[in-house]
Amino acid sequence: MHELIPISLVAHQAFCPRRAWLEAAGETTDTHQMAVGTAAHTPADDPTGSRSRRYRAVDVISHDLGVIGRCDTVELDENAAMTVVEHKATPVRRRPEVTEPMRIQVALLAGALADMGYPVTGQAIYFINHHTRVDVPISADDMALARETVAATARTLAAAQAPPPLEDDRRCSRCSHITVCLPDERPLAPVTRRIVVADPDTQILHLTTAGSRAYVARGRIEVSKSGEKLGTFPIERVQGVVVHGNVDLSSGLIRELLWRSLSVVWCTSSGRVTGWARAAQGPNGGPRLLQHVASHNGRIDLARQFVSAKIANQATLLRRHGDAPTAVARLRELQREALEAPSLTDIFGAEGDAAARYFECFLTMLRPKVVEAEELTFSIRTRRPARDPINAALNLCYGLLTADALRAVVACGLDPHAGFLHSSGRNKPALALDLVEEFRAPVADSVVINAFNNGEIRARDFSTVLGTTRIGERGRKALIAGYERRVTGTFRHPLFGYDVTWRRAMEIQARLVLGVIDGTQPRYQGIKIR
């Protein structure tokens, strides 16, 4: 027996085969858009809202048609004849018009209900935004087209690769999956036909107060300590949670976040990522297997791009804010050497040489008055333990950056542990760390430089004990605030030419890596600021 196909996937196939494939692979729209759409659709999904002549959330199945699905509403007349009513949300400025995918969907729902032995006399679409109901008569030709679309969906789902993106097609401008499909970005060239998709009106929630507890109550995340409420946030506006240090999360909150496919990242108070949680269900299981094979065999083309972009961004930041023209010139040479490196050993050599020259001149990017007043010293990068305030600040911001890269990788369904530059054998999130390299200078380093130059953090915000420097609570909160301003700020994407936030750019780069892995992307190119 062939596996039954969800009717919703058939409707996606009628709209765009690639969307059906992405949906079947587990790809969804951003969580905020999902939450808004779900909220508008909630009444139709609640079986308890059924009445004597109106049933909601009715499951249907048809082995003849080869489909399974759910009717939003089934209405009964005086003779017990049924009308299938499907609820649809449409953009406010669009007219409530029945499209071909909608017609196919209600035809299959009605056909499945009839195959189950129930008399069906009508079909309708109810447009939620317009509060308008439109009757949809179904002809024999409509049913024939529905059957053909089911067969086409089966072929799409059986394919080894996703169908190619649509080219210069108006359907893309109203597709909720454009943020995961990236149809115009595939050629790695400027996007001439800009499709405007708003960034989600959500934010990362950082929990930093030691000894506090976060829990969910009445659709909000509430934080309290010793009986005092510290804050409350609508869960619909939360994109993810980062826990810093000794902060407790209730099991109910963790369950709610995972149910919404929102990630949780735990960090130490100094910024080191110690773990993360993600939903059990995720997209792109097939490409994830290919990722592990590619990680085992090696993809030096990806490793070259990660390191070359990192060095290029270090050179640009040093040129903009520092005073080290000789170092900048050498970094440009190392940038080109990384692109032509014949082995990972040569790539690491170029990266190490660049890091030594870059951090040797790092202090020139701080204002001389600040360096003198705060008695700052820095000439070498020390990870853990940090030996000075600048290294401690960099450690925290690199941890925040790693948390964002983890979210980007997980959102694509990739495994953070299977990388191409960093070793997967060290039990670290190798792919996330690969992705971090491109964003260290323009995001994390930039935050630290601005924080010191603007007086947002001072030397007194740090303490040093036995040679180990730690950042205090005030300095930590100031750096987190500066990081969030930076990562949610927009810049012009150097490849595609449109404005994008740094956080969104991380997911775009992760999706380009995914495209290379699953064969739908010809090559990968790192992001380089100018």
Side-chain angles (χ1 to χ4, degrees), residues 58-62 111-118:
V58 178
D59 293 321
V60 296
I61 185 173
S62 171
L113 198 60
D115 286 350
M116 293 168 64
Y118 298 103

Side-chain angles (χ1 to χ4, degrees), residues 25 45 66 77 84 121 127 157 214 234 238-239 351 405 426 476:
D45 290 333
D77 63 15
V84 175
T121 58
F127 293 95
L157 300 185
V238 174
Q239 186 180 354
E351 181 186 30
R426 298 180 61 189
R476 185 183 305 109

Side-chain angles (χ1 to χ4, degrees), residues 416-497:
H417 285 96
F420 305 98
L421 175 65
H422 293 82
S423 171
S424 301
R426 298 180 61 189
N427 297 323
K428 292 185 177 182
L431 181 59
L433 295 175
D434 288 352
L435 201 63
V436 160
E437 300 298 351
E438 303 176 22
F439 297 91
R440 288 187 188 274
V443 177
D445 295 359
S446 179
V447 169
V448 172
I449 292 168
N450 289 334
F452 276 106
N453 283 340
N454 298 336
E456 297 174 57
I457 55 174
R458 308 286 296 274
R460 61 173 178 263
D461 294 319
F462 301 82
S463 61
T464 301
V465 178
L466 299 178
T468 298
T469 301
R470 294 183 174 88
I471 187 170
E473 183 175 356
R474 197 202 77 85
R476 185 183 305 109
K477 290 182 177 179
L479 271 179
I480 292 173
Y483 177 86
E484 283 297 318
R485 286 196 305 270
R486 179 63 174 173
V487 83
T488 57
T490 60
F491 71 105
R492 185 166 294 278
H493 198 288
L495 278 178
F496 307 128

